[in-house]
Amino acid sequence: MNELQEAIFQVIISIFKNNSLSKKFEIHEEYRGQKIIENSAIRYGILNYVAKYSLANDEYYITDKCFEYLTNLGLINEKGLLRGRKGSKYKFTFEHPIPSNIIADLLYENYNDETILKDILKETDIVTILTYDEDEILNKSKLTSR
């Protein structure tokens, strides 16, 4: 966990320590009968911080196809990837193999134990760089939310 990830972790903890937060959760059978975050604004914030946590990692995975593509474009050099170039112009993206909604729900299930929260975030701290074509294959497979 780097310094930025530690700061984001502290933000996540502070959200879960909010006493009024538990009023924003409801039980859903399609989510293993667990309570999930119902309020869309709060859920969005938590999902965003979960995603930002792994995006703050110093290392990402990259597919062979994407590595070759980005190298040919000159976006990877000895210092690494020029991450700010992500998007429609250069047609690559960052993908979280474990969807942030699943991570957020696991965090909520264990919100009283900071050690478990940290373990969950460390275990799911994965980002893969993909071309838009590879990302489209994932989207068509319906694996983006489970």
Side-chain angles (χ1 to χ4, degrees), residues 3-77:
E3 189 175 321
L4 179 55
Q5 286 180 304
E6 180 62 38
I8 294 169
F9 175 64
Q10 293 304 320
V11 171
I12 292 169
I13 288 172
S14 67
I15 292 170
F16 282 111
K17 285 184 178 178
N18 181 330
N19 291 331
S20 64
L21 185 65
S22 63
K23 297 174 188 168
K24 303 295 182 192
F25 288 77
E26 291 186 14
I27 293 176
H28 286 268
E29 291 307 316
E30 63 267 27
Y31 289 101
R32 306 177 320 273
Q34 300 296 318
K35 288 187 174 186
I36 66 163
I37 308 159
E38 260 310 292
N39 182 285
S40 61
I42 294 171
R43 184 166 181 81
Y44 175 82
I46 292 171
L47 295 177
N48 195 29
Y49 278 115
V50 165
K52 294 290 185 195
Y53 176 87
S54 53
L55 286 169
N57 195 332
D58 297 321
E59 296 180 1
Y60 295 176
Y61 289 98
I62 187 168
T63 65
D64 291 338
K65 178 181 177 180
C66 193
F67 180 79
E68 182 179 335
Y69 171 74
L70 295 176
T71 301
N72 289 337
L73 287 175
L75 297 177
I76 297 179
N77 59 34

Side-chain angles (χ1 to χ4, degrees), residues 52-145:
K52 294 290 185 195
Y53 176 87
S54 53
L55 286 169
N57 195 332
D58 297 321
E59 296 180 1
Y60 295 176
Y61 289 98
I62 187 168
T63 65
D64 291 338
K65 178 181 177 180
C66 193
F67 180 79
E68 182 179 335
Y69 171 74
L70 295 176
T71 301
N72 289 337
L73 287 175
L75 297 177
I76 297 179
N77 59 34
E78 63 279 348
K79 293 181 181 178
L81 172 66
L82 299 171
R83 294 192 287 186
R85 302 291 172 98
K86 172 189 95 87
S88 58
K89 182 176 180 181
Y90 293 105
K91 301 189 182 323
F92 75 96
T93 190
F94 304 124
E95 184 60 51
H96 298 83
I98 303 170
S100 58
N101 65 316
I102 291 173
I103 299 167
D105 292 340
L106 286 170
L107 293 173
Y108 178 70
E109 290 172 24
N110 298 282
Y111 72 92
N112 284 321
D113 189 327
E114 287 186 28
T115 302
I116 292 176
L117 295 180
K118 188 175 274 189
D119 288 345
I120 290 168
L121 288 170
K122 283 181 178 179
E123 287 293 318
T124 60
D125 183 11
I126 304 167
V127 173
T128 303
I129 307 166
L130 304 172
T131 65
Y132 271 22
D133 291 340
E134 292 169 315
D135 195 45
E136 183 62 26
I137 292 168
L138 281 177
N139 289 333
K140 286 180 180 177
S141 72
K142 300 188 171 131
L143 293 173
T144 56
S145 62

